[in-house]
Amino acid sequence: MGPVVERPAEPGTSSAAELELLKRRAAERIDEAAERLGALSRAIWSAPELAYEEHRAHGELTRFFECEPPAASWAVQPHFGLPTAFRAEWAPPESAAGPRALQVAFLCEYDALPALGHACGHNLIAEVGVAAALGLRAALESIAAPPPVKVIVLGTPAEEDGGGKIDLIEAGAFENLDVVFMAHPSQENAAYLPDVAEHDVTVKYYGKASHAAAYPWEGVNALDAAVLAYTNLSVLRQQMKPTWRVHGIIKNGGVKPNIIPSYSELVYYFRAPSMKELQVLTKKAEDCFRAAALATGCTVRAFQN
């Protein structure tokens, strides 16, 4: 075996030692901004706002970048595609004259859950997205001749309900982005979490109202249909794969106990490792919904959310 010859690094590449220096500089910048980042997170956490209503969080985040030193170094676009979305971007001055910059984006979420507030930690997702962007910028600024890279932060509202990212995709907010990162709080550290296919559905049963004491035989009980559907899916769990997930609620079950409910409503989420498996799971669930309607004499309609 001949002698090992160390080849020089290719143009535009960095050695392991250089990469470590860049990582250290990124970490240092995040530590320098730790107090402001923590205050940002606490401000969002202390005033939870629901999907599409994150006006205070939008203001906190846009002001953070507008005030980030040096002044006006981030180009901030509030209300970007949606009233509570935003975009902030930075690029080394030298990159303007070079080839098209590599566009690296970090996502911030900041909507909360009804009644629970920030139980999913979206205030932390916002903080981490901002921190990562600051770190990458600092690393690029530490390079004598930085590569053409544009650092972008996208504020993406309405993750918990409504699909804000879908709205932004349709509005073109993700066009020309080369790499997009987002972090989520978890019980463990992980560089990658597997995605799952997901399907949301609202199921509505229509029956016939009647007085529950005087003329119960005249009624068609939509609540019974909802309870049967819920039970059917619970029984189905024995035959579900361990990787499948089904969770739902009865959202509407009637008005008063002495009135047979003419209307009921359920909301369900279905998850599976792939679209192919999700289709199988969804078909089984739809059979459960139809069976409940058949057993009670109700009409059923299902709507994808």
Side-chain angles (χ1 to χ4, degrees), residues 197-218:
E198 195 248 0
H199 177 71
D200 302 354
V201 63
T202 296
V203 181
K204 299 181 179 183
Y205 289 102
Y206 299 89
K208 180 183 177 183
S210 180
H211 197 287
Y215 303 101
W217 54 87
E218 295 290 343

Side-chain angles (χ1 to χ4, degrees), residues 93-166:
E94 298 84 353
S95 66
R100 189 185 83 84
L102 178 73
Q103 301 199 38
V104 181
F106 299 94
L107 303 187
C108 294
E109 294 177 357
Y110 34 91
D111 63 324
L113 290 163
L116 294 176
H118 281 290
C120 281
H122 286 192
N123 59 302
L124 300 176
I125 294 175
E127 179 185 7
V128 171
V130 172
L134 297 184
L136 178 56
R137 171 183 170 174
L140 291 168
E141 288 180 323
S142 69
I143 301 173
V149 176
K150 181 179 290 186
V151 182
I152 297 163
V153 180
L154 278 182
T156 58
E159 191 277 336
E160 294 293 355
D161 188 24
K165 291 185 185 66
I166 297 173

Side-chain angles (χ1 to χ4, degrees), residues 44-296:
I44 296 172
W45 178 87
S46 63
E49 299 165 299
L50 301 182
Y52 298 111
E53 299 175 5
E54 315 94 329
H55 300 286
R56 177 170 175 174
H58 171 273
E60 295 284 353
L61 285 156
T62 53
R63 281 193 298 272
F64 185 99
F65 284 104
E66 289 167 350
C67 298
E68 175 66 14
S73 58
W74 288 86
V76 181
Q77 300 178 64
H79 318 299
F80 185 72
L82 291 171
T84 54
F86 73 91
R87 175 184 170 115
E89 63 180 64
W90 171 89
E94 298 84 353
S95 66
R100 189 185 83 84
L102 178 73
Q103 301 199 38
V104 181
F106 299 94
L107 303 187
C108 294
E109 294 177 357
Y110 34 91
D111 63 324
L113 290 163
L116 294 176
H118 281 290
C120 281
H122 286 192
N123 59 302
L124 300 176
I125 294 175
E127 179 185 7
V128 171
V130 172
L134 297 184
L136 178 56
R137 171 183 170 174
L140 291 168
E141 288 180 323
S142 69
I143 301 173
V149 176
K150 181 179 290 186
V151 182
I152 297 163
V153 180
L154 278 182
T156 58
E159 191 277 336
E160 294 293 355
D161 188 24
K165 291 185 185 66
I166 297 173
D167 295 336
L168 289 172
I169 289 171
E170 292 175 349
F174 285 81
E175 289 182 6
N176 299 320
L177 298 184
D178 298 295
V179 185
V180 178
F181 293 100
M182 197 194 87
H184 198 290
S186 178
Q187 294 89 345
E188 58 188 21
N189 291 328
Y192 169 76
L193 293 175
D195 292 327
V196 294
E198 195 248 0
H199 177 71
D200 302 354
V201 63
T202 296
V203 181
K204 299 181 179 183
Y205 289 102
Y206 299 89
K208 180 183 177 183
S210 180
H211 197 287
Y215 303 101
W217 54 87
E218 295 290 343
V220 178
N221 198 319
L223 177 58
D224 282 349
V227 171
L228 279 178
Y230 191 96
T231 304
N232 290 345
L233 283 164
S234 296
V235 172
L236 178 64
R237 292 181 190 279
Q238 187 180 34
Q239 276 69 52
M240 289 184 190
K241 292 184 178 181
T243 52
W244 292 0
R245 296 290 183 270
V246 171
H247 28 280
I249 61 169
I250 298 177
K251 190 174 181 180
N252 190 317
V255 180
K256 293 185 67 176
N258 64 335
I259 302 174
I260 290 177
S262 62
Y263 173 77
S264 65
E265 181 178 334
L266 304 96
V267 180
Y268 266 91
Y269 294 173
F270 306 111
R271 305 175 196 261
S274 67
M275 289 298 297
K276 183 177 180 180
E277 287 191 43
L278 182 63
Q279 290 174 358
V280 175
L281 174 58
T282 301
K283 173 62 167 59
K284 291 178 181 291
E286 289 172 348
D287 289 343
C288 289
F289 297 142
R290 283 192 288 266
L294 180 64
T296 57

